Amino acid sequence: MTRQDLTRLTGKSGEPQCDDDDCPNVYRTRTGSFVIQGEVSDAFAPPAGEGLVEIPEHILREAVRALGW
């Protein structure tokens, strides 16, 4: 899967601290799952094959608005 295969739900409103590809974002896949981009977190050790990212609350709110929830 490439970034072009995903629907970007956030980062479209021109957050001043973000460039096109380096800020927290939420993406939706064709199958309806989500891919999250954010700061790597070390809050706890996730199971093998999983990772943790931290994203600001306003990014999640923007994703929910984009989905019309």
Side-chain angles (χ1 to χ4, degrees):
M1 176 182 327
T2 67
R3 187 178 296 197
Q4 291 73 25
D5 296 325
L6 304 171
T7 300
R8 186 173 177 172
L9 300 174
T10 58
K12 299 175 182 178
S13 62
E15 283 293 320
Q17 71 271 21
C18 295
D19 290 330
D20 288 337
D21 297 329
D22 68 349
C23 57
N25 279 297
V26 177
Y27 299 87
R28 192 163 198 186
T29 68
R30 290 182 180 156
T31 62
S33 62
F34 298 93
V35 174
I36 308 298
Q37 175 185 349
E39 296 279 332
V40 175
S41 174
D42 61 359
F44 63 90
E50 296 184 4
L52 303 175
V53 297
E54 184 175 337
I55 61 171
E57 180 180 328
H58 75 273
I59 297 295
L60 290 178
R61 290 181 182 276
E62 186 179 347
V64 167
R65 278 193 302 272
L67 291 167
W69 294 353

